[in-house]
Amino acid sequence: MIASITYKFLLLLHVFAAVVGIGQAFSFSTIMRSTKTVPQVRFSLGVLEKIEKTVKIGSVTLLLTGIIMAIMNPTLWTVKADYF
């Protein structure tokens, strides 16, 4: 019972890390494309540095939760002979 709750929590955290962490990386090009002047570029680069920290945290969280879930439920990673 506790393992099931833990697995579901890790799954929720995994999906949240994917959406928040990796999703922000797609904003990089939009932010830089909207700059016109040198001060805007400097400001945008400062914003991107701050966003990059959350992307790194999200990526590491995504990796760690994925590994922990694979260890908790290794049957998801086994291939049955009759599957193909």
Side-chain angles (χ1 to χ4, degrees):
M1 176 72 179
I2 292 177
S4 175
I5 293 171
T6 305
Y7 188 83
K8 288 179 182 178
F9 174 74
L10 283 173
L11 182 62
L12 178 67
L13 187 62
H14 188 74
V15 171
F16 184 73
V19 171
V20 172
I22 306 301
Q24 289 180 359
F26 291 107
S27 67
F28 287 3
S29 62
T30 306
I31 291 172
M32 288 309 292
R33 203 174 326 140
S34 64
T35 60
K36 304 281 189 256
T37 63
V38 174
Q40 287 178 346
V41 171
R42 287 187 183 135
F43 177 77
S44 296
L45 288 174
V47 169
L48 290 181
E49 286 177 3
K50 292 175 182 166
I51 292 175
E52 183 183 5
K53 292 177 185 176
T54 59
V55 171
K56 287 179 183 177
I57 292 169
S59 299
V60 170
T61 304
L62 192 63
L63 176 67
L64 292 177
T65 56
I67 290 171
I68 293 169
M69 287 190 308
I71 291 170
M72 288 178 71
N73 194 359
T75 56
L76 293 174
W77 302 102
T78 57
V79 177
K80 296 180 182 176
D82 61 344
Y83 183 73
F84 292 106

